[in-house]
Amino acid sequence: MAELLSKAQYADIAARLELRTQAFIDGEFRDALSGETFATTNPATGDKLADIALCDNRDIDVAVAAAKHAFEDGRWHERSPGERKSVLLRFAQLLEDNAHELAVLEALDSGKPVSECQNVDVPETIHTIRWHAELIDKVYDSTAPTGHGAVTMVVREAIGVVGLVLPWNFPLLMLAWKIGPSLAAGCSIVVKPAEETTLTALRVAELAHQAGVPAGVFNVTPGNGRDAGQAIGRHMDVSMISFTGSTATGRLFLKYSSESNLKRVVLELGGKNPAVVRNDCEDLDEVAQFVTAGAFWNMGENCSATSRLIVHKDVKDELLGLIGKHLKDWKLGDPLDPDNRLGAMVSKTHFDKVRSYLDHAAEQKLSVVQGGGTEQGMFVQPTIFDGVTRASRLFTEEIFGPVLSVTTFSTLDEAIELANDTVYGLAASAYTGSLRNALRLSREIRAGIVTVNCFGEGDASTPFGGYNQSGFGGRDKSIWAHDQYTELKTIWINAS
């Protein structure tokens, strides 16, 4: 992990950045065929950072053709596992060599605190690439027990051209979660970053090419969802889509698949994640620290964020007091100041959405425990509302901002019922001093990830994804992610 720099040093890096603004297709940067661009801005200041190439279906056709040609001639997937591993390890080293630059790019483009980019996003991106690189020559195919009359092999083969459509909340890390296993498997990829956060994807593609990923294997096509995203989703030469974003947009990719070539679709979608706190916790102050981090990390712009605190009525007041104490350490302000832990909302549109929930809570006269307002620019105060009922929009809808709603319970059955009262099922946390209660909560809460006495998402070895409307078709991270970028083939050899 690179050491944190000073605010002045980060500002100096920002001033000297050379931004990549063109699409990256077939190993080179090029303008969109239309010649059109779109502006990307710094959410913390409103200043324009650059004009980015606005790709449409014509650019997608060119990128997919390059990816298909690269796949069919075997320049990447036919290399030995050891060769692909070496290239990806060089790629990871180049990312590490440019860690400060990537952290500043991410902070400028997304509004995230640079300290978070430097301490979490960039090192986890590097680790993810290394983890999947090391996996390449350690995944064995198998034989089937067919008897003496035949030899049967069950092998994995790269699925082909893959479309990777990214969210704006973790641009680097979500990119790594998808390119790590897809490149490790031998696929060729076409990446569409979110419009709000394009800069790091373009720089990462350049570094991958420098590391030895062949031309045509890693393509980046900036653009909007209506044109570029839909074109990837409907393309007849794209064999798979991996998408992270809203549930509504995820449904569209299923539609695009059904109306085109029935490409495989893997979706990682929204969440409305509970933290269930019993009255038997051994260290309530530690619980408060985890809940605070779960709710306000990345300004709550996190699909696995703790957005519902479901707390036993006997410890609610004490817990809220402790959370308030820890929130004093979560300073809100300039993302390039490493002392700040909360930055700006990613865009004016998203800021207005989050603010609408604050307005709704005021109309409902909910009790404001912390925050409840906004600050100059696109900054939302870390906010806690008490007395939120199951009928409230704050209980049911994904806010995707620094807003925590509090609901109390009396019995364990009631807590489980409240936790499961959602159309989502991505993540949950259970806090209790009882092993019996911990096991029951972790088993009965319907979510893809349940952490006990902590907040987190596991590590690179654990799958990430959810139940119900939180996901579809597969998981990010772990060996399971590697498998979903491959096809299984049975080879039956007559030996009689």
Side-chain angles (χ1 to χ4, degrees):
M1 182 185 297
E3 288 187 13
L4 283 176
L5 305 179
S6 67
K7 180 179 178 180
Q9 287 173 310
Y10 284 122
D12 182 60
I13 292 173
R16 292 185 287 107
L17 285 173
E18 296 181 9
L19 304 181
R20 279 66 177 170
T21 61
Q22 298 169 294
F24 189 80
I25 298 175
D26 206 14
E28 64 180 15
F29 286 106
R30 57 178 74 179
D31 292 334
L33 290 173
S34 67
E36 294 190 23
T37 62
F38 66 95
T40 187
T41 61
N42 181 341
T45 65
D47 296 335
K48 184 169 78 170
L49 294 170
D51 290 309
I52 307 292
L54 180 64
C55 295
D56 59 22
N57 62 298
R58 292 169 294 175
D59 303 285
I60 299 302
D61 284 343
V62 173
V64 172
K68 182 181 179 182
H69 181 66
F71 187 78
E72 290 181 341
D73 71 15
R75 69 186 70 169
W76 180 243
H77 78 89
E78 289 183 5
R79 288 193 184 184
S80 71
E83 288 176 319
R84 293 202 309 275
K85 171 182 170 179
S86 294
V87 171
L88 292 186
L89 289 176
R90 286 199 297 273
F91 174 34
Q93 186 59 54
L94 283 175
L95 293 173
E96 188 167 335
D97 294 343
N98 292 274
H100 290 309
E101 175 196 349
L102 291 169
V104 171
L105 269 177
E106 193 85 328
L108 288 174
D109 212 15
S110 69
K112 297 161 69 78
V114 72
S115 57
E116 184 177 301
C117 299
Q118 191 83 73
N119 287 332
V120 180
D121 296 45
V122 173
E124 284 299 313
T125 294
I126 297 164
H127 175 65
T128 297
I129 300 300
R130 286 193 172 125
W131 195 91
H132 285 286
E134 291 289 356
L135 185 66
I136 294 174
D137 58 4
K138 299 173 183 66
V139 178
Y140 287 79
D141 292 326
S142 59
T143 60
T146 53
H148 293 292
V151 175
T152 303
M153 298 180 289
V154 181
V155 301
R156 298 175 183 85
E157 294 184 349
I159 198 169
V161 177
V162 172
L164 306 176
V165 183
L166 306 179
W168 46 255
N169 59 333
F170 288 93
L172 268 175
L173 192 51
M174 296 302 97
L175 176 66
W177 281 14
K178 298 183 188 302
I179 67 174
S182 58
L183 290 176
C187 299
S188 294
I189 61 177
V190 178
V191 177
K192 194 204 86 66
E195 291 171 77
E196 297 87 347
T197 52
T198 299
L199 297 176
T200 46
L202 292 168
R203 179 62 172 139
V204 167
E206 182 181 34
L207 293 173
H209 187 63
Q210 290 176 13
V213 175
V217 173
F218 190 156
N219 307 277
V220 180
T221 52
N224 60 46
R226 182 186 65 254
D227 296 321
Q230 181 173 182
I232 294 173
R234 291 188 180 278
H235 206 289
M236 298 297 289
D237 290 328
V238 172
S239 298
M240 177 196 168
I241 289 284
S242 180
F243 167 75
T244 296
S246 73
T247 299
T249 303
R251 293 180 192 275
L252 291 177
F253 280 106
L254 292 175
K255 178 183 177 183
Y256 301 154
S257 174
S258 72
E259 294 176 349
S260 57
N261 60 341
L262 292 178
K263 58 179 61 65
R264 183 181 299 174
V265 178
V266 175
L267 306 174
E268 197 279 291
L269 306 173
K272 191 65 180 174
N273 312 294
V276 176
V277 181
R278 293 260 307 154
N279 60 344
D280 58 359
C281 295
E282 295 175 353
D283 187 343
L284 205 59
D285 185 68
E286 184 178 59
V287 173
Q289 294 179 60
F290 282 124
V291 172
T292 302
F296 303 115
W297 169 48
N298 201 47
M299 296 77 71
E301 295 174 332
N302 178 12
C303 55
S304 63
T306 298
S307 56
R308 293 184 294 150
L309 175 58
I310 299 171
V311 57
H312 194 281
K313 60 184 179 62
D314 292 346
V315 296
K316 183 199 73 171
D317 291 341
E318 182 182 359
L319 179 62
L320 293 181
L322 291 167
I323 291 172
K325 180 188 74 172
H326 290 295
L327 265 179
K328 294 176 182 178
D329 296 329
W330 288 69
K331 293 173 61 179
L332 175 68
D334 179 3
L336 287 185
D337 185 342
D339 288 337
N340 291 330
R341 298 180 70 179
L342 292 160
M345 297 288 97
V346 72
S347 68
K348 180 63 164 58
T349 299
H350 189 61
F351 171 80
D352 289 341
K353 175 196 171 186
V354 175
R355 184 172 57 183
S356 73
Y357 284 97
L358 305 184
D359 296 339
H360 175 73
E363 292 168 4
Q364 298 296 309
K365 296 182 170 53
L366 291 176
S367 174
V368 181
V369 180
Q370 296 284 336
T374 62
E375 299 189 5
Q376 185 175 1
M378 296 191 297
F379 293 85
V380 176
Q381 297 170 351
T383 296
I384 302 174
F385 293 115
D386 193 10
V388 178
T389 68
R390 295 164 72 159
S392 172
R393 289 176 56 201
L394 274 71
F395 188 90
T396 59
E397 297 178 14
E398 185 179 36
I399 300 172
F400 225 64
V403 180
L404 177 65
S405 60
V406 181
T407 307
T408 57
F409 70 90
S410 297
T411 68
L412 190 60
D413 286 342
E414 184 185 3
I416 293 169
E417 184 181 0
L418 287 165
N420 287 333
D421 187 11
T422 175
V423 298
Y424 299 107
L426 181 56
S429 299
Y431 298 92
T432 174
S434 162
L435 177 59
R436 182 186 298 273
N437 289 336
L439 288 172
R440 186 178 172 201
L441 286 164
S442 60
R443 290 290 191 181
E444 294 192 24
I445 293 176
R446 299 279 297 168
I449 305 149
V450 180
T451 59
V452 177
N453 291 330
C454 63
F455 168 79
E457 298 175 349
D459 62 16
S461 69
T462 58
F464 182 91
Y467 292 13
N468 304 323
Q469 294 183 35
S470 284
F472 178 90
R475 295 289 190 264
D476 283 320
K477 301 198 305 177
S478 80
I479 194 171
W480 283 272
H482 181 100
D483 282 350
Q484 68 197 17
Y485 292 98
T486 62
E487 293 280 18
L488 278 182
K489 176 181 280 187
T490 297
I491 301 174
W492 182 288
I493 303 172
N494 187 354
S496 61

